[in-house]
Amino acid sequence: MTAPERGSFAGVSRRGSDQDESARANRGWWDAEATDYYAEHGDFLGDADLVWGPERLREVDARLLGPAEALPGLRVLEIGGGAGQGGRWLQDQGAVVVSTDLSTGMLAQARRIDGRRTPATALPLAACDAALLPFADTCFDLVMTAYGAVPFVADSAAVVREAARVLRPGGRFVFSTTHPIRWAFPDVPGEAGLTAASSYFDRSPYVEEDEAGQALYVEHHRTLGDRVREIVAAGLTLVDLVEPEWPEGHDQTWGGWSPLRGRLLPGTAIFVCERPTR
């Protein structure tokens, strides 16, 4: 999911940020914010649930990963898993899961959640960059991420290629991220967030910097067409593109996501992809 209200930074810019800078900045930011992020959003995310975005679309209802009866025994990789809520839910459904994240702080939060569950469980965890996965080819049946990894890497095409590489033929890759149209609008929940202020085609990353101009936090923008081209170039087939509508009765604001904006603009895009069998 997108970040909560962020701490101190000297300024914001829209400028280039390469893979190394983005990884360094985001690893440090999520390490520092892991505990506060869980305190702010833990109730919404649950400790063992798969929520695809701020619209509160849950996998138990959406079934984007496949039918419930197919989950037991599946080999699943969660990338950018944060505290492992999605991976833990899949584990509870009988899947064999490894949950990964760039941030060791987020993985430590995952361990704290595991330790207080009854009975205590151990979700297999690994620290790694989603653009360079330490796993063999075709070793997973399913790769997934809910707002993890994809918005935070400079080379999102590499993330898609890596997901395709570790998938078996016939396997599925599902990821959610900020809907690209949102980048044209100010990231505020009220009326000011309803007027386009930037070009949809401006792919410059959003960068929060310290006084010396060093990046502290980076998010990257791709258009809808960019995402589709990355999927196709990786040899995957796009089988569904889900744009969750804001549901009635959901009044929780999350950063720039709000009932006001959610009823007018899509906030999340979920890409459902498969690796062809031949």
Side-chain angles (χ1 to χ4, degrees):
M1 298 276 174
T2 192
E5 294 299 320
R6 290 178 277 275
S8 60
F9 54 91
V12 172
S13 65
R14 294 289 298 274
R15 64 165 176 80
S17 180
D18 64 18
Q19 186 73 9
D20 287 343
E21 182 187 48
S22 296
R24 182 172 60 252
N26 288 327
R27 182 188 296 110
W29 193 89
W30 288 105
D31 281 351
E33 295 293 326
T35 301
D36 289 343
Y37 185 86
Y38 179 75
E40 183 174 355
H41 297 299
D43 288 345
F44 182 95
L45 295 173
D47 285 346
D49 201 1
L50 179 42
V51 184
W52 286 111
E55 297 85 0
R56 205 163 57 190
L57 178 65
R58 301 170 66 222
E59 176 59 17
V60 70
D61 300 313
R63 295 300 178 190
L64 303 180
L65 302 180
E69 59 271 19
L71 292 177
L74 283 187
R75 300 163 299 168
V76 180
L77 175 64
E78 180 179 32
I79 58 174
Q85 288 95 336
R88 202 171 287 107
W89 180 83
L90 282 160
Q91 187 181 58
D92 287 349
Q93 311 311 303
V96 180
V97 183
V98 178
S99 184
T100 69
D101 201 272
L102 182 68
S103 165
T104 56
M106 293 301 290
L107 296 177
Q109 182 61 53
R111 280 283 172 253
R112 288 191 286 271
I113 295 173
D114 283 345
R116 65 167 180 264
R117 296 188 80 198
T118 304
T121 60
L123 177 68
L125 302 171
C128 68
D129 190 326
L132 190 62
L133 295 173
F135 303 104
D137 295 355
T138 68
C139 63
F140 291 100
D141 303 302
L142 176 66
V143 180
M144 53 75 56
T145 183
Y147 271 84
V150 174
F152 304 108
V153 297
D155 190 359
S156 54
V159 175
V160 181
R161 288 195 302 271
E162 282 291 272
R165 178 184 66 79
V166 301
L167 270 179
R168 65 162 174 80
R172 181 167 283 201
F173 175 40
V174 183
F175 69 93
S176 64
T177 189
T178 304
H179 196 290
I181 195 63
R182 294 294 288 270
W183 281 75
F185 295 81
D187 191 28
V188 293
E191 293 281 347
L194 299 179
T195 301
S198 303
S199 169
Y200 169 78
F201 301 102
D202 181 1
R203 296 164 175 84
S204 304
Y206 167 91
V207 183
E208 293 177 359
E209 302 171 322
D210 64 15
E211 293 81 357
Q214 296 295 309
L216 300 174
Y217 176 92
V218 184
E219 281 195 46
H220 293 269
H221 169 52
R222 298 289 183 271
T223 68
L224 211 57
D226 292 338
R227 296 288 183 213
V228 173
R229 283 186 286 275
E230 289 177 351
I231 290 164
V232 173
L236 299 173
T237 299
L238 180 65
V239 298
D240 200 0
L241 172 56
V242 180
E243 300 165 294
E245 296 186 40
W246 197 272
E248 291 296 329
H250 177 26
D251 59 2
Q252 184 171 342
T253 296
W254 182 321
W257 283 259
S258 68
L260 173 66
R261 298 184 79 199
R263 294 188 185 106
L264 298 173
L265 294 170
T268 296
I270 311 172
F271 298 83
V272 182
C273 318
E274 290 182 353
R275 179 173 173 177
T277 56
R278 48 187 303 186

